[in-house]
Structure formats: structure tokens, C-alpha cells
Amino acid sequence: MEHAERVLAAAGELFYRRGVRAVGMDEVRAASGVSLKRLYQCYPSKEALVVAYLERRDERWMAALTGYVAARPDRVQAVFDWLERWFGEDGFRGCGFVNAYGELGADSAAVRDVVRRHKERLRGYLRSLAAEAGAADPELLAGQLLVLVEGATVTAMTGPPEAATAAARAAGLAAAALTGAGPGRAAPCPG
């Protein structure tokens, strides 16, 4: 494994588990087995390393979500099924983007930008699922789904992974309302 990859892997695990501010570059150096000089050649600042960590997390998180959802017939429901699985994983610490934003967002435009890009990418994906489901207003449904995804993620940080189930029920109601299925008609209502 090349030096930059070893540094990024070690930093990603440490930042997600303990928080960005709690982890120093020397700790990343020790965990990666890369010299401090080489670490700074790969990532000239801690901010650069945090941005790289978040960009990598975005790629991996979105790939896991979209891969799972693509194989399911009810894709809106599948988003929340995937979330519930993620929430139940050992080491779940909530949204790495929200966590990093909470720690550094006020001080780092670069961190704010990568967090916003991730959330916009997620919203765009949810918009595509809403359009595919036949929503009359995919943008509106995507916004509602994003709030449910974010709320379930924050709730699951301190509660049971079943937060995704409650969000899925709400998502089903929102989807039914926006696809014109209304109460008493056949509408996909997760959960």
C-alpha cells in the first residue's frame, strides 16, 4: 500500500472513531507507519488530510448506499433498510460529514465545501429515486427524504438502529402524498 493510502486509511479510522480535533498528526503517523516527513509530503496540512478523508468517505459511503439500493425493487425503502444496517454496525459514530462540520465547519471553508458537496450529492441521488418512484415533485420529496435520512442518522447515534424504521414509515407517507396515491389507495408505504 502506498504511503498516501496508508495515511488516509489510518486517519479515516481515527477521525471517524475519535473526532478530527482529538487526533493529532503524530498519532496518524504512528497508526500509518509513515514518517512525519512523508505524511506531510502526502498531505501538507491537517486540513488537507481531513478534506481527503471526507472525499474518500463520500465515495465509499455513496457507493455502498447506491450499490445496495440498486438491487432492490422499492428503492426509497431500500435507502432506509441500508441505513438501519449501517446504524447497527460496530463502531457506528453517526455521519462523518456532520461530525467534521461540527468540529471544523466554522473554521475551515475547505471542510464546509466538501461536506456541502456530499450532502448535495446525496440530495441529488434521493431526487433521482423520487423521480423514478413517480413523485409529482421530485425536488420536494428529495428534500423531505434528506431530512429523514439526516434525522434518522443523528437519532441512531444515541439510540437504537431502529431509527431508520421510523424514518422509512415517514418516507412512505411522504412518497405516497407526492405520487398521488393518498390514503386508502395502493401506495408503497415502507415499514
Side-chain angles (χ1 to χ4, degrees):
M1 188 183 324
E2 70 175 74
H3 298 294
E5 177 59 28
R6 288 188 359 222
V7 169
L8 197 51
E13 194 277 323
L14 290 167
F15 290 160
Y16 185 69
R17 183 169 40 94
R18 297 199 20 238
V20 173
R21 289 196 189 268
V23 175
M25 293 296 268
D26 194 53
E27 194 171 354
V28 173
R29 180 212 50 81
S32 67
V34 172
S35 73
L36 203 55
K37 180 179 179 182
R38 177 72 69 182
L39 186 155
Y40 279 109
Q41 288 173 342
C42 297
Y43 302 99
S45 68
K46 186 173 180 182
E47 181 182 57
L49 180 56
V50 172
V51 167
Y53 149 68
L54 291 171
E55 289 172 341
R56 179 182 192 203
R57 186 165 186 86
D58 171 62
E59 288 303 317
R60 290 180 171 194
W61 193 90
M62 289 297 297
L65 171 64
T66 60
Y68 181 88
V69 170
R72 305 302 185 284
D74 183 347
R75 293 184 179 180
V76 171
Q77 170 66 45
V79 168
F80 296 94
D81 293 344
W82 182 84
L83 287 173
E84 192 160 8
R85 291 169 52 121
W86 176 47
F87 298 163
E89 288 178 4
D90 287 341
F92 171 74
R93 299 282 186 269
C95 176
F97 301 93
V98 171
N99 296 345
Y101 186 87
E103 288 189 76
L104 303 174
D107 301 327
S108 172
V111 169
R112 280 193 312 273
D113 289 345
V114 74
V115 170
R116 284 187 183 127
R117 283 194 309 271
H118 168 74
K119 297 304 179 182
E120 288 168 6
R121 183 175 180 198
L122 177 55
R123 184 186 190 112
Y125 177 65
L126 295 171
R127 184 183 318 110
S128 72
L129 295 180
E132 179 183 294
D137 188 342
E139 184 63 35
L140 177 61
L141 182 55
Q144 293 171 341
L145 293 173
L146 183 62
V147 167
L148 292 168
V149 166
E150 296 296 321
T153 304
V154 170
T155 301
M157 286 175 63
T158 58
E162 292 78 24
T165 303
R169 287 190 184 110
L173 295 173
L178 289 174
T179 58
R185 293 194 213 141
C189 188

